[in-house]
Amino acid sequence: MNRKNKLPTMYWQDNRLHLLDQRFLPLKVEYRSCENCDQVIDSIKEMSVRGAPAIGITAAYGMVIAAGEVLEKCDDREILLSALDEAASKLVKARPTAVNLFWAVERMKEVLLKHRESPPQAIFDNLLEEAKQIHDEDIKNNRMIGFNGAEMVPQKASVLTHCNAGALATGGYGTALGVIRAAVEQGKDVHVFVDETRPLLQGARITAFELIQEDISVTLITDSTAGHLMAKGKVDLIIVGADRIAANGDTANKIGTYSLAVLADYHNIPLYVAAPLSTIDMSVESGEDIVIEERCSSEVTHIDKYATSPDEVVAFNPAFDITPAHLITAIITEKGVVCKPDRDRLKKLM
Ligand code: MRU
């Protein structure tokens, strides 16, 4: 059976970035083509592309596209460098929580620093090579996360996941879903419960879509069903992704992850966070220092263009929450598994 992701999250072709437009999944498979940096920024803001590693890779290609825009008009290095400075500062403002966005732009800036005396075309070529490398590395890292994490999955297991930390949230293969994929590839009998993940339904629309595509056994549940399932003894473990992990192990992930962690603790169910090292931000001490994105009220008051609440009501819509480290059984990375994560254990890994 082909267990490879059939639809790439993104691809580079004809000097453009083509992003699978995840807003329309699963109803429509359509790629959004970006030929200028503003289109890349809009794609991140509007969540055509989403998931921490995927927005990092997208931003890296965004820098390449910004360089290409200048090269089309002139061959002046100073103009190119100042346009890239501006592009970098606009890209990092696209979304505030996932650290992979800042990490990827930083990597692109290092390439710029190294090649700033080179001719403009060489700067472009080096940026493109780096973006492709960030993309390839992400897929390799996810496979290692999958390999390291599969050990945590019993031979027969019922796994709960939240949001989408799959191939489509990354360069390919996925983090939390990468662990599930790897366990299935090893012949384990895995059933996945997927939280629908209100308000934007990444679980229902994207995770369920990925699992169905790959013939992995899946049941969709409403977010509020998770506790009931745990109480009934139907969940063996929980695996989620991360948008940013603070130095002490506190983890920002999709809103609702914290509630799952409290429920898991109450029911004595292990909760694993699967993430690449690029998601660990040693510059923030704890979850309190992580900026939580607040998105617009209409994402909650409406589904698509249909109102699901009175016109007058305003919704509070934080996109992420913080799960304290003490509620996390282990963090699974490409370099190894950190049980009972804390500052010292994470530092040793970096
Ligand atoms: O708002 P989103 O869809 O970008 O949120 C995504 C998540 O919370 C994921 O769990 C996280 O980015 C990890 S993706 C491997």
Side-chain angles (χ1 to χ4, degrees):
M1 186 185 307
N2 177 17
R3 293 207 179 278
K4 280 201 173 129
N5 179 38
K6 295 178 184 89
L7 294 168
T9 314
M10 66 193 74
Y11 60 92
W12 178 260
Q13 197 176 58
D14 301 330
N15 277 345
R16 287 177 185 201
L17 180 64
H18 302 264
L19 296 164
L20 178 60
D21 199 329
Q22 300 187 30
R23 294 171 303 172
F24 308 135
L25 287 178
L27 298 179
K28 208 163 50 165
V29 171
E30 190 174 293
Y31 281 82
R32 181 170 179 174
S33 147
C34 302
E35 55 185 358
N36 63 52
C37 187
D38 285 341
Q39 289 168 344
V40 174
I41 293 166
D42 287 344
S43 301
I44 297 173
K45 283 187 178 162
E46 292 161 12
M47 293 177 65
S48 293
V49 61
R50 29 70 46 203
I55 64 177
I57 300 162
T58 301
Y61 282 116
M63 291 288 284
V64 182
I65 290 174
E69 282 181 77
V70 175
L71 285 189
E72 263 181 22
K73 292 183 208 128
C74 70
D75 195 34
D76 184 305
R77 188 168 48 215
E78 289 315 309
I79 294 179
L80 175 64
L81 293 175
S82 101
L84 284 168
D85 266 356
E86 197 188 324
S89 54
K90 276 170 34 186
L91 279 161
V92 294
K93 290 192 191 104
R95 289 189 78 187
T97 306
V99 73
N100 307 60
L101 177 63
F102 315 124
W103 170 88
V105 170
E106 257 335 289
R107 257 183 76 163
M108 299 302 278
K109 280 163 84 175
E110 278 164 30
V111 170
L112 266 184
L113 203 60
K114 197 163 147 207
H115 296 279
R116 57 187 307 122
E117 301 302 329
S118 306
Q121 185 61 47
I123 294 178
F124 175 90
D125 293 343
N126 281 293
L127 287 174
L128 179 57
E129 199 181 303
E130 185 72 0
K132 286 183 172 170
Q133 199 166 322
I134 289 174
H135 192 171
D136 290 347
E137 276 172 21
D138 185 63
I139 300 171
K140 277 190 207 122
N141 290 339
N142 288 338
R143 288 201 170 267
M144 277 313 293
I145 290 170
F147 177 79
N148 292 336
E151 252 182 66
M152 315 292 142
V153 181
Q155 191 56 38
K156 184 170 168 55
S158 174
V159 182
L160 174 69
T161 191
H162 190 63
C163 193
N164 173 262
L168 296 177
T170 63
Y173 202 70
T175 56
L177 284 200
V179 172
I180 290 167
R181 280 195 168 98
V184 171
E185 281 165 7
Q186 290 173 9
K188 294 186 176 174
D189 181 3
V190 181
H191 181 76
V192 188
F193 286 107
V194 177
D195 279 350
E196 59 178 355
T197 317
R198 282 281 290 146
L200 294 182
L201 303 173
Q202 290 92 329
R205 296 187 305 103
I206 308 172
T207 300
F209 175 76
E210 283 196 32
L211 293 171
I212 293 279
Q213 257 202 332
E214 299 207 11
D215 273 335
I216 296 176
S217 170
V218 52
T219 305
L220 180 65
I221 57 170
T222 62
D223 299 334
S224 34
T225 300
H228 173 70
L229 273 185
M230 290 186 218
K232 293 277 175 202
K234 303 259 192 234
V235 177
D236 298 314
L237 65 151
I238 299 170
I239 311 180
V240 294
D243 284 83
R244 194 187 303 210
I245 299 172
N248 71 346
D250 290 355
T251 293
N253 191 50
K254 179 54 56 193
I255 189 79
T257 304
Y258 170 58
S259 318
L260 286 181
V262 173
L263 282 164
D265 185 51
Y266 183 80
H267 294 288
N268 223 358
I269 295 168
L271 178 130
Y272 299 102
V273 170
L277 295 186
S278 53
T279 303
I280 302 177
D281 184 356
M282 293 305 278
S283 78
V284 298
E285 269 311 309
S286 75
E288 271 180 40
D289 309 318
I290 298 177
V291 179
I292 300 289
E293 176 182 11
E294 262 184 52
R295 295 188 61 87
C296 68
S297 169
S298 65
E299 287 182 353
V300 179
T301 58
H302 287 67
I303 290 184
D304 198 3
K305 52 185 181 300
Y306 302 102
T308 54
S309 50
D311 279 352
E312 298 76 16
V313 81
V314 176
F316 171 50
N317 184 19
F320 304 99
D321 59 24
I322 303 291
T323 299
H326 70 91
L327 294 179
I328 297 169
T329 309
I331 295 177
I332 303 162
T333 75
E334 67 272 31
K335 238 177 143 182
V337 176
V338 184
C339 294
K340 297 190 178 168
D342 64 13
R343 188 172 228 293
D344 289 344
R345 294 191 179 104
L346 284 179
K347 210 171 158 195
K348 266 190 212 138
L349 192 77
M350 303 298 284

